[in-house]
Amino acid sequence: MPFFASLARRCLIATAIVASTSAATATAAPWLIVERRFFPGTAASDARGQGVTTDGIHWFFSGTRSLETTDGEFRTLRINRHAIPARLWRPSRLSPIGLNHIGDIDQADGLLYVPLDSSHVDPAIGKAYAHPAVALYDARTLRYTGRAYPLRPPHGTNDIASWIAVDAAKGVAYGIAYHQATELAVYALSDFSFLRYIPLSRPIDQAQGGKVLDGWIYFATDNDDKAVLRANLTTGAVEELVSLRNAGGQEIEGLSFHTDANGAVSLNVLSREDDRPVSGNGGIALYRVQQ
């Protein structure tokens, strides 16, 4: 090989090695809080204090008993303050003590996927949140469709319906236990039958919301750090993205992705808190987080 050709080839190889090394050692851009909206008062807390999702045009919120639709500026378009129908509130095949609690919701194809459980203690087993189910609602009317499915993963049903995350393209849904979860449950979207577990690289504690995007599942947690985490759906590797902790009392709730007119994707996380830390003026904050 001629000298100059050999030299050029060695330079190209060296450049490739440097580029490869730089890429491997480059630090990913941090996730930052870029906006905080606050919805004041008890009414906002009741209507928007559990979960959130969006179809790109409307926002959908869940409270402990309610469902709400808003426009893009969070103005209420429709609200169902008594979203849990009597047939689910009463003892049924889904729960021997009835269902009275809505968690963080998700949406797909004109349906809202609404996780349900009971905050009452079942005297037969001495536990609350022990009869998880997912009910399907019409996203336009916020009415129950009559379709609901129990969640029965093999490692137990203790407090596993704080949220449900849907991947309609793959025909699956996801959930985890509330306390120190070490595995992610995968369900068939058609009937919420259990499919498999995905082991997690580290426990996830007190996840109050979950959503799926591009091979990852993202969690809003009410742990001490009030952390937003994500787990890889192939490897189970868990990463911490950002903390939402402030100087006052908080309860982190659900979360949702949103894509703006410029194509920028953000995470939007609900938090029960005061308008200012320790002000006593409570409501719901919606944090927008971006990388």
Side-chain angles (χ1 to χ4, degrees):
M1 179 181 292
F3 173 77
F4 289 109
S6 176
L7 178 62
R9 182 174 180 273
R10 289 197 297 271
C11 288
L12 285 172
I13 292 172
T15 301
I17 292 172
V18 170
S20 176
T21 303
S22 299
T25 59
T27 301
W31 290 71
L32 303 172
I33 299 169
V34 296
E35 184 182 23
R36 176 185 181 269
R37 288 178 179 259
F38 188 74
F39 310 119
T42 301
S45 184
D46 289 346
R48 302 178 182 183
Q50 289 292 325
V52 60
T53 187
T54 179
D55 62 4
I57 299 172
H58 306 95
W59 291 90
F60 302 93
F61 292 92
S62 59
T64 305
R65 311 278 189 273
S66 67
L67 295 171
E68 179 188 16
T69 310
T70 78
D71 64 13
E73 296 301 316
F74 304 101
R75 294 179 291 246
T76 300
L77 300 176
R78 185 184 298 271
I79 189 164
N80 181 353
R81 298 187 187 277
H82 304 284
I84 304 174
R87 72 181 103 166
L88 296 182
W89 195 274
R90 295 191 296 262
S92 70
R93 66 177 181 83
L94 296 171
S95 170
I97 61 171
L99 299 163
N100 72 352
H101 184 277
I102 296 173
D104 183 28
I105 59 178
D106 209 345
Q107 67 79 37
D109 301 324
L111 293 171
L112 293 180
Y113 291 82
V114 178
L116 298 170
D117 212 326
S118 177
S119 61
H120 296 154
V121 173
D122 182 345
I125 59 175
K127 292 182 179 180
Y129 300 106
H131 302 289
V134 176
L136 275 56
Y137 283 67
D138 185 305
R140 183 179 62 84
T141 65
L142 305 182
R143 296 295 180 185
Y144 175 50
T145 64
R147 296 165 59 195
Y149 306 95
L151 299 177
R152 297 290 183 264
H155 295 170
T157 61
N158 184 38
D159 210 348
I160 62 169
S162 294
W163 52 271
I164 199 74
V166 169
D167 187 338
K170 294 187 176 179
V172 296
Y174 301 91
I176 59 175
Y178 187 68
H179 294 288
Q180 296 294 337
T182 59
E183 57 195 4
L184 180 70
V186 186
Y187 305 98
L189 191 59
S190 57
D191 61 1
F192 285 87
S193 57
F194 174 81
L195 296 176
R196 63 187 180 278
Y197 283 115
I198 299 172
L200 299 170
S201 66
R202 52 167 275 197
I204 294 176
D205 192 36
Q206 301 180 52
Q208 301 248 63
K211 295 293 187 296
V212 174
L213 182 69
D214 295 340
W216 295 82
I217 184 164
Y218 292 72
F219 308 98
T221 70
D222 194 46
N223 60 15
D224 290 344
D225 291 332
K226 311 298 182 185
V228 178
L229 309 173
R230 69 177 183 176
N232 187 283
L233 290 170
T234 300
T235 67
V238 176
E239 300 177 357
E240 183 167 335
L241 305 182
V242 67
S243 171
L244 301 181
R245 183 174 55 190
N246 64 29
Q250 289 174 285
E251 183 179 3
I252 303 300
E253 297 285 357
L255 80 167
S256 180
F257 287 100
H258 181 263
T259 304
D260 68 18
N262 298 317
V265 179
S266 62
L267 267 173
N268 298 263
V269 186
L270 294 173
S271 175
R272 293 179 184 267
E273 60 186 54
D274 290 345
D275 58 350
R276 301 181 310 281
V278 202
S279 72
N281 299 316
I284 297 295
L286 183 65
Y287 289 91
R288 184 160 61 91
V289 179
Q290 284 182 305
Q291 188 176 31

